[in-house]
């Protein structure tokens, strides 16, 4: 066994690093570094640069216009992007609906939608959760009734991330209310400009507008916008969730957060000495360091298994649980490190154009991010759901 | 980056798994523990025949040149079966220290028979006032003419009774740490023998004006080599703990599926499912750390010590967690001597007390923590 990258992989790492140094606009990386909310234009500028480089769809095979990278290259790319404070690519098109369209979509759907994702023409959002269907996703109630060549869709979706910028929605709907829970679900692609769609912001406890409610009121969706057969939506949904969870450990972000924490805690003074020398604080940093080391190797084990032909399975649930717990701990330690400086709240600075003096700007986002990171153990299947998945699929309980 | 085993390593793993399954059932293990620990067992002779005793030694001392992964495979299999053989304490630790300190004459006398299974050894590095610190040594060695004289006391020396000779660290007059081989019958030695709470034969060794010829001095400055060999030992212990954690998890899971209360198997209760998953999470994360340790042995000393301390600290806490959960999930049965998983629980808790516990190793990580 060995844990080192091959010379080719190291060269690739250098290539990505050089590209990021040259191509990532500094105003965007600065916003990411300070934890300010990104505007639609920030995402698009960066994704257009990636698209031009051919690296936007890092998980796509060559036949669909992706770079054809393997799991190791994708891992290196993600880590380097996080280290350089590049924005996370909005995943709903490239990483979520695209694999579903590739696997279950018709040739026409593939030819129409995939190039539009690659060129950032479409901004996709996700219509999964409903007010009455969270962890119990298959309990969803949004109805789609067939009317000639269309479905008439009625219902409400929620937690729709960045839906305020989106022009396309992939949506789980109930097409057969009499079939068993999972069997009556279909997967529809819906134009957000359709009459009857209303998007309302949900402001989260950190003051951010990240998620939305989406109301569907007699929305007409052409039948050709269905992916897969009627009633096969759950198969698509599960396939997509596995993809959603693979990157969800967010190890690149955890590494970056730990680097930031250590540098912060060695600058901040506590009784005339760096905070990092306070034993109780240092102990928690050391434990976070250990957890990160373990997660990194676990992640490499999963990547190596994928490279050697395995499919992402329940191991991604393990990574999700431990990865989200670690990132939450790091956000907790970062907030604590700042002490009283974690108290002032500048929402205008965080999502607006305003400016703050350097010192305030450095600490402005820490507490808001701490609250924002609570989402990590809730989204993509709450950690308790992940544990039930492991119990069922790995331990056969 | 490669986590796959080579063909030879897969064969090694299969051989050991079969051997442990055939020869170390719970009943056989009880019989092995009841036997006197002062001579080699049938299983040890089988180890010798299979070349297992040569595995972790370099080719220039007559070994097979196995690396950290090979040692991990062996230790993990021994841990799975809780095999009561002093593979680490009686072979690898003293043997590897001999291999890097002894001259050819000393190797012929002590190392060659060790690898052939003709005798076993022990390593006495620990003292009662120093807890886990191998470099706080009050045992003294003074050279008088053509002999050395040793005075002091060594604490919890594993495999002491069976050892034909014990490697003893001692402070020299010049302040450096020396290493000596003390034959079992050397006049002036006395032993207080016992078993550890997890069934390992051990003892305290008192050295009262023990006189040794010059040829019994293995090194007059052994600190770096001792650190190197203790690192090997820590990586090996992590691997052994992984094997024991696997088995503790498997036995607990099987019990949850079989034991019924309220008319249904325990495994149907979500609170217990999630506890079982937490055990599994600890196991998989610890496995990653044990792999990290096994692949770090050849790194420069400070990087090696950092990673191995991290692994030992991490595995120590996970091992205790898994042990406590295994007992809890077995209910009152888990408290009994009769319940086999209790043996694993004892080993997994006490694992933390060998070659430095989590606190000791967390301090090392803390000292070596890279900030930038």
């Amino acid at each position: 066994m060995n844990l080192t990258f091959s010379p080719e992989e190291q060269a690739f790492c250098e290539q990505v690093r050089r590209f990021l140094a040259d191509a990532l606009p500094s105003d965007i990386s600065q916003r990411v570094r300070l934890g300010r909310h990104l505007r639609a234009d920030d995402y698009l500028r960066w994704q257009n640069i990636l698209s031009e480089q051919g690296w936007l769809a890092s998980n796509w095979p060559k036949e669909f216009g992706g770079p054809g990278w393997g799991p190791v290259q994708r891992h290196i790319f993600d880590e380097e992007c996080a280290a350089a404070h590049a924005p996370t690519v909005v995943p709903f098109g490239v990483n979520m609906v695209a694999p579903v369209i590739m696997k279950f979509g018709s040739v026409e759907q593939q030819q129409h939608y995939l190039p539009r994702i690659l060129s950032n023409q479409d901004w996709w959002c996700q219509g999964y959760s409903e007010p009455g269907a969270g962890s119990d996703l298959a309990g969803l109630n949004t109805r789609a009734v067939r009317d000639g060549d269309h479905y008439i869709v009625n219902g409400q979706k929620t937690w729709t991330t960045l839906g305020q910028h989106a022009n396309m929605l992939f949506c789980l709907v109930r097409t057969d209310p009499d079939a068993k829970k999972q069997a009556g679900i279909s997967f529809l692609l819906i134009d957000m400009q359709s009459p009857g769609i209303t998007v309302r912001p949900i402001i989260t406890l950190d003051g951010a507008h990240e998620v939305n409610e989406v109301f569907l009121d007699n929305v007409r969706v052409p039948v050709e916008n269905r992916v897969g057969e009627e009633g096969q939506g759950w198969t698509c949904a599960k396939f997509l969730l596995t993809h959603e969870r693979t990157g969800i450990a967010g190890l690149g972000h955890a590494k970056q957060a730990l680097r930031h924490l250590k540098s912060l805690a060695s600058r901040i003074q506590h009784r005339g000495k760096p905070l990092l020398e306070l034993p109780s604080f240092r102990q928690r940093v050391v434990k976070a360091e250990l957890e990160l080391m373990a997660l990194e190797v676990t992640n490499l084990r999963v990547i190596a298994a994928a490279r050697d032909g395995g499919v992402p399975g329940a191991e991604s649930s393990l990574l999700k649980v431990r990865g989200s717990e670690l990132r939450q701990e790091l956000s907790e330690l970062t907030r604590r490190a700042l002490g009283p400086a974690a108290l002032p709240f500048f929402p205008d600075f965080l999502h607006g154009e305003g400016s703050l003096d350097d010192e305030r700007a450095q600490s402005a986002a820490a507490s808001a991010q701490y609250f924002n990171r609570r989402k990590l153990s809730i989204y993509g299947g709450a950690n308790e759901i992940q544990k039930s998945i492991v119990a069922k699929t790995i331990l056969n309980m | 980056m490669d986590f796959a085993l080579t063909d030879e390593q897969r064969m090694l793993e299969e051989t050991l798994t079969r051997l442990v399954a055939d020869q170390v059932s719970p009943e056989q293990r009880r019989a092995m523990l009841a036997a006197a620990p002062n001579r080699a067992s049938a299983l040890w002779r089988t180890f010798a025949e299979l070349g297992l005793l040569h595995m972790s030694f370099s080719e220039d001392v007559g070994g097979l040149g196995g690396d950290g992964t090979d040692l991990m495979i062996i230790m993990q299999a021994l841990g799975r079966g809780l095999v009561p053989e002093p593979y680490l304490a009686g072979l690898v630790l003293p043997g590897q220290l001999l291999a890097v300190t002894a001259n050819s004459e000393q190797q012929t006398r002590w190392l060659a028979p060790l690898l052939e299974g003709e005798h076993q050894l022990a390593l006495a590095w620990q003292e009662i006032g120093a807890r886990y610190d191998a470099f706080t040594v009050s045992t003294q060695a003074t050279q008088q003419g053509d002999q050395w004289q040793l005075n002091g006391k060594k604490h919890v020396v594993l495999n002491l009774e069976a050892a034909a000779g014990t490697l003893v660290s001692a402070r020299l007059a010049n302040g450096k740490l020396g290493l000596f081989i003390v034959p079992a019958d050397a006049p002036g030695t006395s032993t207080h023998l016992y078993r550890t709470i997890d069934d390992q034969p051990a003892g305290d060794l008192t050295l009262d004006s023990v006189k040794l010829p010059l040829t019994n001095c293995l090194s007059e400055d052994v600190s770096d080599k001792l650190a190197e060999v203790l690192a090997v030992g820590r990586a090996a212990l992590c691997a052994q703990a992984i094997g024991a954690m696997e088995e503790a998890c498997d036995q607990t899971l099987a019990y949850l599926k079989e034991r019924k209360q309220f008319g249904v198997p325990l495994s149907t209760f979500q609170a217990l499912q999630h506890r079982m998953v937490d055990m599994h999470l600890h196991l998989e994360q610890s496995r990653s750390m044990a792999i990290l340790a096994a692949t770090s042995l050849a790194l420069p000393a400070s990087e090696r010590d950092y990673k191995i301390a991290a692994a030992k600290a991490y595995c120590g806490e996970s091992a205790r967690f898994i042990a406590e959960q295994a007992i809890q999930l077995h209910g009152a049965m888990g408290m009994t001597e009769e319940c086999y998983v209790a043996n694993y629980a004892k080993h997994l808790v006490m694992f933390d007390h060998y070659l430095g516990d989590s606190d000791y190793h967390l301090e090392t990580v803390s000292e070596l923590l890279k900030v930038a």
Side-chain angles (χ1 to χ4, degrees):
Chain A
M1 292 191 281
N2 76 78
L3 272 60
T4 48
F5 289 129
S6 69
E8 294 76 27
E9 288 160 349
Q10 282 167 21
F12 176 71
C13 194
E14 279 307 313
Q15 189 193 355
V16 173
R17 230 172 257 183
R18 270 198 309 276
F19 164 74
L20 287 164
D22 293 345
L24 177 59
S26 61
D27 64 309
I28 295 181
S29 62
Q30 176 76 344
R31 281 191 87 86
V32 173
R33 198 175 64 74
L34 294 177
R36 299 175 77 179
H37 308 145
L38 296 179
R39 298 154 298 193
D41 179 56
D42 296 324
Y43 284 112
L44 281 175
R45 271 162 66 210
W46 175 233
Q47 290 186 188
N48 283 332
I49 292 168
L50 285 176
S51 180
E52 216 163 286
Q53 174 77 9
W55 288 359
L56 175 64
S58 63
N59 61 332
W60 290 19
K62 276 198 170 132
E63 51 172 313
F64 291 112
W69 290 340
V72 181
Q73 285 162 304
R74 282 205 294 279
H75 166 74
I76 290 172
F77 180 70
D78 289 346
E79 295 252 308
E80 291 302 325
C81 283
H85 303 286
T88 306
V89 169
V90 178
F92 307 103
V94 161
N95 297 329
M96 291 167 76
V97 79
V100 171
I101 291 173
M102 288 174 201
K103 182 147 173 95
F104 302 101
S106 65
V107 174
E108 292 73 27
Q109 286 170 336
Q110 292 173 353
Q111 285 172 350
H112 178 71
Y113 291 111
L114 297 179
R116 295 174 61 88
I117 291 174
L118 267 188
S119 61
N120 292 307
Q121 266 174 287
D122 288 335
W123 185 311
W124 285 86
C125 63
Q126 182 177 30
Y128 266 36
S129 294
E130 296 181 5
S135 289
D136 182 14
L137 182 59
L140 56 93
N141 278 322
T142 295
R143 275 286 277 133
V145 179
R146 186 75 176 256
D147 177 31
D149 293 341
H150 286 78
Y151 289 104
I152 314 286
V153 182
N154 278 288
Q156 183 188 345
K157 293 290 174 181
T158 192
W159 315 126
T160 308
T161 301
L162 300 181
Q164 70 268 37
H165 308 312
N167 68 316
M168 289 299 295
L169 168 76
F170 61 88
C171 195
L172 292 178
V173 296
R174 187 162 301 285
T175 39
D176 183 355
D178 301 322
K180 265 179 59 188
K181 227 169 148 181
Q182 283 86 352
I185 294 172
S186 300
F187 194 99
L188 297 185
L189 311 177
I190 303 179
D191 187 335
M192 294 286 279
Q193 312 305 319
S194 313
I197 292 188
T198 315
V199 178
R200 282 196 205 144
I202 299 173
I203 304 302
T204 43
L205 77 176
D206 56 330
H209 177 198
E210 203 170 66
V211 287
N212 301 272
E213 295 178 290
V214 178
F215 296 88
L216 301 116
D217 180 20
N218 287 317
V219 178
R220 293 182 70 81
V221 180
V223 168
E224 72 226 35
N225 283 22
R226 190 189 66 225
V227 179
E229 296 301 307
E230 194 171 281
Q232 280 195 342
W234 190 249
T235 311
C236 301
K238 277 199 307 189
F239 176 77
L240 185 152
L241 282 175
T242 319
H243 275 260
E244 184 183 357
R245 279 175 203 139
T246 41
I248 219 163
L251 273 187
H253 296 287
K255 274 169 115 166
Q256 183 48 43
L258 180 58
R259 272 195 292 269
H260 174 64
L261 171 66
K262 287 196 283 194
S263 115
L264 196 65
S266 23
R267 276 183 279 124
I268 289 173
Q269 298 290 303
H270 169 83
R271 296 184 197 249
K273 283 194 295 192
L275 173 67
L276 198 54
E277 289 175 23
L278 178 69
S280 60
F281 194 87
R282 190 179 182 88
Q283 179 88 341
R284 286 182 74 174
V285 175
V286 166
K287 290 210 167 175
E289 172 109 356
L290 258 53
E291 190 64 31
L292 181 61
M293 286 168 89
L295 262 175
E296 260 197 281
V297 180
T298 304
N299 195 38
L300 290 177
R301 285 165 56 199
V302 171
I303 289 166
R307 176 195 63 194
D308 302 339
V311 283
E315 296 82 1
S316 56
S317 294
L318 298 179
L319 286 173
K320 200 250 164 177
V321 171
R322 282 301 184 98
S324 58
E325 287 171 354
L326 173 63
R327 289 179 64 193
Q328 289 178 336
E329 170 71 0
L330 291 169
S331 73
E332 144 89 354
L333 290 173
T334 305
R335 173 177 59 71
R336 290 177 82 94
L338 288 167
L343 287 167
F345 184 43
F346 304 107
D348 291 346
F349 172 74
L350 291 181
H351 51 245
E353 304 290 330
S355 64
L356 285 174
D357 62 74
D358 220 35
E359 191 156 349
R360 288 214 170 105
Q362 298 293 336
S363 52
S367 295
Q369 279 200 336
Y370 163 81
F371 287 110
N372 183 274
R373 295 298 178 261
R374 307 316 302 166
K375 73 186 177 190
L376 299 179
S377 53
I378 299 170
Y379 71 18
N383 282 12
E384 290 71 20
I385 292 290
Q386 306 297 343
K387 288 186 181 180
S388 293
I389 291 173
V390 175
K392 197 172 157 198
T393 58
I394 298 188
L395 304 177
N396 298 314
M397 295 181 87
Chain B
M1 180 185 68
D2 193 3
F3 296 90
L5 302 180
T6 63
D7 288 345
E8 289 80 14
Q9 287 170 339
R10 260 197 308 277
M11 273 168 54
L12 176 66
E13 192 178 40
E14 280 165 28
T15 304
L16 273 154
T17 306
R18 213 171 326 117
L19 188 65
V20 170
D22 288 350
Q23 302 207 17
V24 199
S25 69
E27 298 71 37
Q28 288 165 323
R29 181 172 180 273
R30 264 189 277 273
M32 290 167 82
L33 286 171
N38 60 358
R39 58 195 165 80
S41 66
L43 186 57
W44 196 262
R45 287 194 294 277
T46 310
F47 284 180
E49 283 156 21
L50 291 172
L52 293 176
L53 305 184
H54 288 76
M55 183 53 77
S56 74
F57 292 88
S58 68
E59 278 147 359
D60 44 288
V61 296
L64 289 172
D67 63 7
T69 305
D70 296 303
L71 183 58
M72 180 172 182
I73 292 166
I74 295 172
M75 292 306 296
Q76 202 173 322
L78 298 180
R80 259 203 101 107
L82 279 190
V83 176
E85 291 291 353
Y87 191 84
L88 186 60
L91 170 75
V92 174
L93 289 179
Q96 294 224 355
L97 203 45
L98 273 172
V100 291
T101 56
N103 60 35
S104 64
E105 206 176 305
Q106 291 162 334
Q107 286 190 13
T108 309
R109 168 72 184 85
W110 295 104
L111 187 58
L114 179 71
L115 267 54
E116 295 308 319
E118 290 162 13
H119 68 202
Q120 291 181 352
L121 299 172
L123 171 61
W125 61 274
Q126 196 162 237
E127 296 191 2
I128 201 158
R131 289 189 94 231
Y132 299 117
D133 181 6
F135 305 103
T136 299
V137 172
S138 57
T139 298
Q140 302 281 336
T142 46
Q143 192 176 353
Q144 294 165 341
D146 59 355
Q147 60 183 12
W148 286 91
Q149 184 169 317
L150 269 62
N151 279 291
K153 192 169 178 182
K154 292 290 174 177
H155 194 45
V156 199
V157 182
L158 294 178
N159 204 43
L160 181 60
E161 188 176 359
T166 298
L167 277 65
V168 173
S169 60
R171 191 63 62 194
L172 307 185
N174 66 8
K176 290 211 158 63
L177 194 64
L179 185 73
F180 300 85
I181 175 98
V182 179
D185 54 4
T189 58
S190 58
T191 58
H192 176 201
L193 301 171
Y194 45 80
R195 276 188 190 269
T196 62
I197 191 166
D198 62 332
D199 297 319
Q200 307 218 44
D204 299 337
L205 173 66
T206 303
L207 304 140
D208 183 10
S209 299
V210 175
K211 294 181 180 59
L212 299 171
L214 295 180
T215 51
N216 283 42
C217 177
L218 296 166
S219 169
E220 293 186 43
D221 183 7
V222 79
S223 292
D224 290 349
K225 300 294 184 194
L226 182 58
E228 184 182 322
V229 169
L230 292 178
V232 173
R234 285 162 184 146
L237 281 175
C238 288
Q240 187 181 22
I242 296 303
M245 287 188 224
E246 284 174 345
E247 190 62 26
C249 285
D250 286 356
Q251 288 181 15
T252 305
L253 180 61
Y255 182 76
L256 290 180
K257 289 179 180 174
E258 151 205 316
R259 167 83 171 163
K260 286 188 177 169
Q261 288 288 276
F262 307 101
V264 289
L266 293 181
S267 62
T268 58
F269 295 99
Q270 194 181 46
L272 306 189
Q273 289 178 352
H274 285 192
R275 206 183 270 258
M276 190 69 234
V277 171
D278 285 337
M279 289 170 72
H280 193 72
L281 284 171
H282 278 82
L283 165 61
E284 288 309 319
Q285 290 285 79
S286 298
R287 190 193 306 282
S288 291
M289 285 305 235
I291 292 171
L292 185 68
T295 52
S296 296
L297 292 173
L299 295 175
S302 80
E303 207 181 328
R304 172 198 72 201
D305 290 346
Y306 181 69
K307 289 185 171 168
I308 287 180
K312 182 73 170 60
Y314 196 95
C315 291
E317 297 205 352
S318 294
R320 178 190 52 78
F321 176 83
I322 287 175
E324 290 173 355
Q325 300 308 316
I327 293 174
Q328 178 72 17
L329 289 173
H330 276 80
M333 277 307 294
M335 294 292 303
T336 64
E337 200 180 44
E338 181 194 337
C339 181
Y340 202 48
V341 86
N343 294 293
Y344 287 87
K346 277 198 280 186
H347 173 72
L348 286 172
V349 171
M350 301 321 292
F351 152 73
D352 209 27
H353 292 254
Y354 295 105
L355 301 183
D357 66 5
S358 297
D359 294 319
Y360 176 86
H361 289 296
L362 279 175
E363 190 190 24
T364 305
V365 176
S366 179
E367 280 164 3
L368 298 172
L369 188 72
K370 287 187 210 74
V371 172

